Amino acid sequence: MKYESQKIAQHFYTFAILLFFVQVLVGLIAALQFIWPDFFLLKFNVIRDLHINALVVWLLLGMMGATYFVVPEESQSELWSIPLAKFQFWATVVAITAVILGYIWMGFDPQANKYIFGTLLLNEGREYIEAPRWADWLIALSVILFLFNNFMTMYKSKRWTGIQGTLLGGLTFLTLMYLPGMFYTKSMVKDQFWWWWVVHLWVEGSWEIIAGALLAFMLMKVTNAPRHVLERWMYIEVALVLFTGILGTGHHYYWIGTPKYWLWVGGIFSSLEPIPLLLMVWDAFRTTRKHRVISNRLGLFYATSHAIFNFVGAGLWGVIHTLPQVNKWTHGTQITTAHGHLAFYGAYVLLVISMIYITLPLIRGVTEFNTSRGYRSFWWMTISMVFIVLSLTGAGMVQTYMERLVGLDYVTVKANYNLWFWALRAIFGLGFVYGVFLFVLDFFKLGREPVEAAAPANVSETTA
Amino acid sequence: MSNRGVRNLFVFGSLFFFVIFIALTVDTMKKIDKRAPEITEEVDQGKKLWHKYDCIGCHTILGNGSYFAPDLTKITVNKPEGYLEKFLVHPRKVKPSAAMPELGITPDEAKKIVAFLDWTSKVDTNGWPPKPVLAAYRMPQIPGVTVYQKYNCSACHMIGGIGGTSGPDLTHVASRKPDIEWHKRHIRDPQSVVPSSAMPPFPQISDEELNQLADYLITLK
């Protein structure tokens, strides 16, 4: 680590992975509620709100932390203001904690979620963006402070690298795309239309731009590949992400009451969405092969896995049901859940973890660390996630057939024909929780325990 | 191509696609309201309650949401009038096996939520959800079955695995209720024999149809 301000990244990482652990714990409760709806004090809706909101927030915090590391490094200067970054961190922690407590309160007393000045006090009742309006403003303010601090750092240093320009572009786009979720519409169709602007243009737009920039940075860090080559490929990747992804939003506008031309727009452009993701996989392998001086094998291992599972989860598991002819039958089934799980895991969970493994040793000032737990955590998480996704895909296929084609009742299919898929999902969910536990443990121990002689960078341990 | 060239391709290319997206959005906004009924005050209040109770935390609507409970896009088409209003207020009194919790919804709120759901059911969704194509379960070709189908009893009741789960399963109903007169009274006015029932009364059913349906039901042992 070259700059004092990069230490701020660790604050964000710590809060992020604690939320990650909360996310998977409530995820396990949700999985069991599919079998026993009354299992646990809080009902499924609150548990799921916690599950998906913790996901979005911890990934965002992880990306913020990563940005606080990347920007000083790229600008070759300290952050514009460290106190501002610290304030932004603690303000975010307070706001997020308040939102979480609000959800839990609402879980015990649904009537507590009242309309005050026309907006709901505790929960907006819109998937992923449940945070109430007052929290929306606090979150937006936090992101604006964060953007401003990083922008000023770049502006003062006058070193506009491609990586940080793209990162800044992605983060600005992310901030702007939060706004379409902040107004009320009387029509449920318009409500969902604008809601997808936020959700789709985040995960398949701005977040992928950030991912492209961070992947380029990581490859440069661990393989020493020349910047101009990495940046050229980064531009091509993020360009293709947006060329396909922006109009690819159309695949959410098939059946919600929007005009028919979206079937064409969405079908064509979203079918092309896997291409840039495949390019990222090729980029990761090509760079590694060409530049064999690897400084952090575990970090590179996670970064490459991120590229692969981004392609498989977001790309392949998305494209199988993206054509309107197919989607007509699969829309609103567990196929979507399967896609959602693998896409978030591959595209963003592995991305943030790889950023942590690449930057944390530098922040803690260690050149070698035990990697065994990091690999074990990877295999526990990845194998469990693959089987969770296969279980959900199976459930989705059964549901599509039984409910949509044969015409059986939703509850019948869920309670009888899919019961064993829920059981499988819960069992592998437990495996996933164990993998995350190992990762959390590793995060706190990294660089703080004696290095075992054979442990660092020993690839043979990957099967442990 | 130089790095500056690919960067410009990225920036201006993305802007180009975003402009197209905005143009399509403007056009869509003009057309959306024509594809759905007018939004009355009651529908709007129902939508606000939909958000208040975080319904999307379990259900999907227009196919988007939580996949934990049934999709509600066409729910008012599939359930008889009056059923949902009762179910929303006391879900487990109406259907003991329901996973839905008591949220404290008042009868007035339930009416508004149903108005909102009824509005959603009339949105032109380009034919979604599709009608099942393989629903070819062969029921015996007797008059009682025709009546059963005419009044869409399978929206709520199940026989031999086919049908809804809102009402009791009728596969072996005659073993529980062998009395044909009980069935006739129950169909005409359910609350007269089961006071807590959420089944709507069927005064419109003719005497002949009632006899045929009851004859069929008592064969289900």
Side-chain angles (χ1 to χ4, degrees), chain B residues 102-135:
Chain B
E102 292 242 353
L103 295 166
I105 298 173
T106 65
D108 178 55
E109 286 180 328
K111 244 181 84 189
K112 290 169 178 163
I113 294 171
V114 172
F116 161 67
L117 293 171
D118 198 41
W119 178 87
T120 315
S121 75
K122 295 186 178 105
V123 171
D124 176 0
T125 54
N126 295 331
W128 192 88
K131 291 237 180 311
V133 286
L134 299 175

Side-chain angles (χ1 to χ4, degrees), chain A residues 38 48-49 111 113 115 127 184-185 190-192 228 254 258 261-262 331 334 405 409-410 412 414, chain B residues 3 27-28 33 44 47-48 52-54 62 64-68 92 104 126 133-134 158 165:
Chain A
D38 287 332
R48 185 178 189 269
D49 292 351
Q111 295 299 334
N113 192 27
Y115 276 96
E127 196 189 2
Y184 177 80
T185 47
K190 287 181 183 167
D191 187 305
Q192 293 209 346
H228 69 274
Y254 296 159
T258 34
Y261 53 71
W262 286 109
H331 179 54
Q334 296 294 327
L405 269 72
D409 183 79
Y410 172 90
T412 313
K414 183 187 167 205
Chain B
N3 272 16
D27 183 70
T28 300
D33 288 337
D44 181 45
K47 180 171 181 282
K48 287 193 170 127
K52 175 186 167 180
Y53 289 108
D54 189 27
L62 300 167
N64 295 312
S66 295
Y67 319 103
F68 180 76
R92 291 184 185 186
N126 295 331
V133 286
L134 299 175
M158 190 181 281
T165 55

